[in-house]
Amino acid sequence: MKKNIVVFFLSLSFSTSLIAQNQQITLEEIWGGAFRTESMDVLRSLNNGKQYAVLNVDRRTKATTVDVYDYETLEKVKTLVSSNNLDALDNFSSYEFSNDESKLLLATDITSIYRRSTLGRYYVYDIKAKTLSSVSENKIQEPTFSPDAGKVAFVYENNIYVKDLTSGETKQITTDGKKNKIINGVTDWVYEEEFSFVRAFDWNETGTHIAYIRFDEREVPEFSMDVYGEALYPTQQVFKYPKAGEENSEVNLFVYDLTTGKAEEVSLKDAYYIPRMKWTNDPEVLSIQVMNRHQNKLDIMSYDVNSKTTKTILSEQDDAYIDVTDNLKFLNDNSFLWTSEQNGYNHIYLYDRNGKLIRQITSGEWEVTNFYGFSPNTARIYYQSTEEGSINRAVYSIGINGKGKKLLTPQTGNNSAKFSSDYTYFINTHSSAYSPYRYTLHRSKDGKELKEIVNNNKLEEKLIAYNLPKKEFTTINVHGNELNMWMMKPVDFDPEKSYPLFMFQYSGPGSQQVSNRWHGSNDYWHMLLAQQGYIVVCVDGRGTGYKGANFKKLTYKELGKYEVEDQIEAAKVLGEQSFIDENRVGIWGWSYGGFMSSNAILKGNDVFKMAIAVAPVTSWRFYDTIYTERYMQTPQENPSGYDDNSPISHVDKLKGSYLLIHGSADDNVHVQNTMRMIEALVQANKQFEWAIYPDKNHGIFGGYTRLQLYTKMTNFIKENL
């Protein structure tokens, strides 16, 4: 009798264990933050090279602190400021040091404008005196300390101001700024989105001059969006948005002399775009990058504030286009390090101050993906690359002579580094498809791990109960190319069964989705689908990044041709597998991925049974100048490239089930794209499903929006695949 009881309890325990390890993931968990990872927020290395500062938030009280930690011990050394001790601030969301680390710039009440731009209230905290002062009574943009920490420059209502922190006096240095007409010191919409910067002014090293860009957008066509809100009448958001082939802002560069109070315009012949500017280590010399409209010619120029002359230091040209980066580093003698694709892969080059090539530092059939900097103490350069395979990232150091290369992060996956100011240490962030984010302290000279700082062991333990599907990385041969691919199968996968195939992709120029890194929200959703019996696959086709310039630039002037052909062919190749039902193949994507999934179900109507397109471009004629013309030239020069691969041109081919989704307040990919697609489908008498999310931007989020959206998409897949 006792023996039977023991057997009963053992079997009960075993079955309970199986249930615990087969917990089903839910949409509520994905979008409710159940799988949130621990991280390190706003880390800044201090000048002494021995310590770093971190923004910490008490989730219970909402209080914020800037705390200093020791690199060697990882112990907290001190708290520089706590919102608990500030009467004027309940909390702050970010901080910046002055160059001498005597003051902090604290931000609060931040409001988003577009993707990167914000308005906020800012305060200066004097660390020694423990005093707090407001920069402005208004909500301002991009406040920045002068090099001596005595002043703060900022932008308010499209004009630049400088506040003297000693006298408290604020001086306005531009006066012609006006909404939708003239912008001084911050970028217009298209520069912010496509050249990835907002602050368009910069202090020189001695604080005597401020260089700034002026945008004259009076000739740029306006775009308007209805904002429905909750009032009786909707309002409109009106802003300047240059669509492909239309007028851009006229840009001019000025240097303002704080001593004389006068601004001098910098003569830049043939400068259509000014995507970057920065002062060199010589306080009298400004560096400027200028490009032509086709973005296939880039010049690095210098401007001398004394002689008021400019000269071209380095010029690069490409048959297709040149990507703008932040990988320009001036050394003490104003020689400089620069990354370029001139030999077919992105690598590091060293030039003298006059632009004469000294040597190529890195080389090989792999890409430098991040340039961290140079240590004059060790004469070594630190960078991230794809040397461990295009789906991985590793951190390396190499001598400025191009010798003595060292791998500093041997663990496979995605590694990124944050170096101490003197390059003695770095904090590495590592993850892979099988390991969540882990933050560790390393010695820079050899990469030796010294201590673990933050891990996600609790999340890892929590996920054991779900027995989640894994990403299987491999390649697939399509049109003679070995394309990177990952596949998720149901955990109880049976090779004798036949499963529906659901494909995910983005596919935009230089992008990457097949990457050996930890899960994002979409990954968890794909796992949910795999748990429910779908095989989910992602293929990075031609035109995506990190496999050389030729692979990336093949799609030049024909966006949506080769990338779509690759997705269709990949689906056919996968459909030949005995465990995949070739008659049940679906595809989805967001933004560029929505453009792709729309084209796939139309051009590949004999392959794809269903498709979901979220916030898609449906004609590149509707998208902005800088992005679109970089890859397509203008519609006037390349009309067939725009129209032949527009989904709108192929609506008559629709056979399968198609779901079209957009946010009505998408300032990036306008809802116009979806409305024009809808009208074309209606006039072709095609049946489809669609959803518009009122007042939601390109990300379509807020409250329960993402949960409702992904529930809709999940149900659509279940009903149609």
Side-chain angles (χ1 to χ4, degrees), residues 10-114:
L10 282 172
S11 65
L12 179 63
S13 174
F14 181 67
S15 63
T16 303
S17 175
L18 285 176
I19 293 169
Q21 292 187 22
N22 285 281
Q23 188 172 332
Q24 295 293 298
I25 197 169
T26 68
L27 292 169
E28 288 77 9
E29 288 175 310
I30 296 172
W31 301 111
F35 308 117
R36 185 183 293 116
T37 54
E38 297 294 328
S39 63
M40 297 183 69
D41 196 16
V42 197
L43 184 149
R44 319 251 188 240
S45 178
L46 300 190
N47 293 338
N48 60 25
K50 309 297 182 186
Q51 298 170 328
Y52 62 92
V54 174
L55 177 71
N56 286 320
V57 180
D58 186 320
R59 291 180 181 172
R60 183 180 58 84
T61 65
K62 306 294 185 182
T64 47
T65 57
V66 177
D67 298 314
V68 174
Y69 295 81
D70 184 88
Y71 273 115
E72 286 192 2
T73 66
L74 299 183
E75 296 294 326
K76 187 166 86 169
V77 176
K78 57 187 172 182
T79 295
L80 293 179
V81 63
S82 170
S83 61
N84 283 336
N85 301 325
L86 303 175
D87 293 336
L89 282 178
D90 292 330
N91 57 67
F92 49 88
S93 56
S94 70
Y95 71 97
E96 292 285 348
F97 280 102
S98 59
N99 283 358
D100 64 1
E101 297 176 353
S102 66
K103 297 182 177 72
L104 288 168
L105 195 61
L106 306 178
T108 188
D109 193 16
I110 298 298
T111 303
S112 291
I113 304 174
Y114 299 118

Side-chain angles (χ1 to χ4, degrees), residues 664-680:
S664 72
D666 191 335
D667 63 281
N668 184 355
V669 180
H670 303 148
V671 73
Q672 173 190 21
N673 285 270
T674 283
M675 292 304 184
R676 292 286 286 269
M677 185 70 175
I678 288 170
E679 177 61 12

Side-chain angles (χ1 to χ4, degrees), residues 302-406:
S302 69
Y303 172 75
D304 187 295
V305 298
N306 292 320
S307 65
K308 296 180 173 49
T309 57
T310 59
K311 65 178 180 178
T312 300
I313 303 300
L314 181 66
S315 184
E316 287 202 5
Q317 286 189 267
D318 191 276
D319 291 337
Y321 56 87
I322 296 172
D323 288 316
V324 173
T325 72
D326 293 307
N327 299 337
L328 174 62
K329 170 67 175 177
F330 288 96
L331 307 185
N332 290 336
D333 62 355
N334 259 8
S335 60
F336 59 94
L337 294 160
W338 170 252
T339 64
S340 170
E341 293 181 324
Q342 61 187 268
N343 76 341
Y345 292 85
N346 197 47
H347 282 295
I348 302 171
Y349 295 79
L350 174 64
Y351 294 86
D352 71 13
R353 64 182 299 143
N354 297 311
K356 180 182 178 182
L357 178 65
I358 298 174
R359 72 180 62 90
Q360 181 176 344
I361 305 294
T362 63
S363 62
E365 293 186 354
W366 46 268
E367 306 264 353
V368 170
T369 49
N370 205 336
F371 172 75
Y372 294 120
F374 168 72
S375 169
N377 296 330
T378 61
R380 297 189 70 77
I381 296 165
Y382 299 89
Y383 66 93
Q384 180 200 59
S385 77
T386 62
E387 288 173 75
E388 304 304 305
S390 59
I391 68 170
N392 297 306
R393 300 288 184 275
V395 178
Y396 282 82
S397 72
I398 190 170
I400 198 166
N401 59 4
K403 299 177 181 178
K405 182 166 62 176
K406 293 180 182 178

Side-chain angles (χ1 to χ4, degrees), residues 619-639:
S619 169
W620 290 108
R621 291 178 180 270
F622 303 147
Y623 202 55
D624 73 59
T625 47
I626 293 177
Y627 182 94
T628 310
E629 294 172 12
R630 180 186 303 151
Y631 308 119
M632 295 285 281
Q633 296 189 352
T634 66
Q636 294 88 339
E637 296 167 300
N638 181 26

Side-chain angles (χ1 to χ4, degrees), residues 207-436:
T208 58
H209 294 78
I210 295 176
Y212 67 92
I213 303 175
R214 177 183 183 269
F215 294 81
D216 183 343
E217 54 179 5
R218 285 175 291 187
E219 299 302 316
V220 179
E222 286 184 345
F223 188 82
S224 63
M225 298 188 303
D226 287 328
V227 180
Y228 297 98
E230 297 180 355
L232 184 60
Y233 290 91
T235 58
Q236 271 198 333
Q237 182 181 358
V238 180
F239 60 101
K240 298 287 187 166
Y241 184 108
K243 293 181 184 287
E246 299 297 312
E247 289 293 326
N248 278 291
S249 292
E250 180 182 335
V251 290
N252 300 92
L253 180 64
F254 293 84
V255 173
Y256 178 82
D257 187 326
L258 276 81
T259 304
T260 65
K262 294 181 180 179
E264 188 80 29
E265 183 173 357
V266 178
S267 176
L268 296 172
K269 187 180 178 181
D270 301 325
Y272 192 81
Y273 292 123
I274 308 175
R276 293 290 184 270
M277 65 161 186
K278 65 187 295 187
W279 289 93
T280 69
N281 291 321
D282 182 340
E284 312 298 325
V285 178
L286 176 68
S287 163
I288 314 118
Q289 294 179 39
V290 301
M291 299 187 87
N292 60 345
R293 183 161 186 164
H294 282 169
Q295 298 170 71
N296 61 2
K297 184 175 186 293
L298 183 148
D299 292 335
I300 299 177
M301 305 183 72
S302 69
Y303 172 75
D304 187 295
V305 298
N306 292 320
S307 65
K308 296 180 173 49
T309 57
T310 59
K311 65 178 180 178
T312 300
I313 303 300
L314 181 66
S315 184
E316 287 202 5
Q317 286 189 267
D318 191 276
D319 291 337
Y321 56 87
I322 296 172
D323 288 316
V324 173
T325 72
D326 293 307
N327 299 337
L328 174 62
K329 170 67 175 177
F330 288 96
L331 307 185
N332 290 336
D333 62 355
N334 259 8
S335 60
F336 59 94
L337 294 160
W338 170 252
T339 64
S340 170
E341 293 181 324
Q342 61 187 268
N343 76 341
Y345 292 85
N346 197 47
H347 282 295
I348 302 171
Y349 295 79
L350 174 64
Y351 294 86
D352 71 13
R353 64 182 299 143
N354 297 311
K356 180 182 178 182
L357 178 65
I358 298 174
R359 72 180 62 90
Q360 181 176 344
I361 305 294
T362 63
S363 62
E365 293 186 354
W366 46 268
E367 306 264 353
V368 170
T369 49
N370 205 336
F371 172 75
Y372 294 120
F374 168 72
S375 169
N377 296 330
T378 61
R380 297 189 70 77
I381 296 165
Y382 299 89
Y383 66 93
Q384 180 200 59
S385 77
T386 62
E387 288 173 75
E388 304 304 305
S390 59
I391 68 170
N392 297 306
R393 300 288 184 275
V395 178
Y396 282 82
S397 72
I398 190 170
I400 198 166
N401 59 4
K403 299 177 181 178
K405 182 166 62 176
K406 293 180 182 178
L407 171 63
L408 303 180
T409 55
Q411 59 270 47
T412 301
N414 193 296
N415 296 275
S416 62
K418 184 80 174 178
F419 284 85
S420 61
S421 56
D422 64 357
Y423 293 92
T424 300
Y425 304 102
F426 70 92
I427 292 174
N428 187 55
T429 305
H430 171 264
S431 80
S432 73
Y434 312 106
S435 306

Side-chain angles (χ1 to χ4, degrees), residues 123-157:
Y123 294 81
V124 172
Y125 181 75
D126 187 305
I127 296 172
K128 184 177 180 180
K130 294 182 168 40
T131 56
L132 187 74
S133 60
S134 173
V135 176
S136 171
E137 62 183 18
N138 303 304
K139 296 187 79 170
I140 60 175
Q141 290 183 266
E142 301 297 316
T144 307
F145 282 116
S146 62
D148 66 355
K151 301 179 179 68
V152 172
F154 61 90
V155 173
Y156 172 63
E157 292 187 343

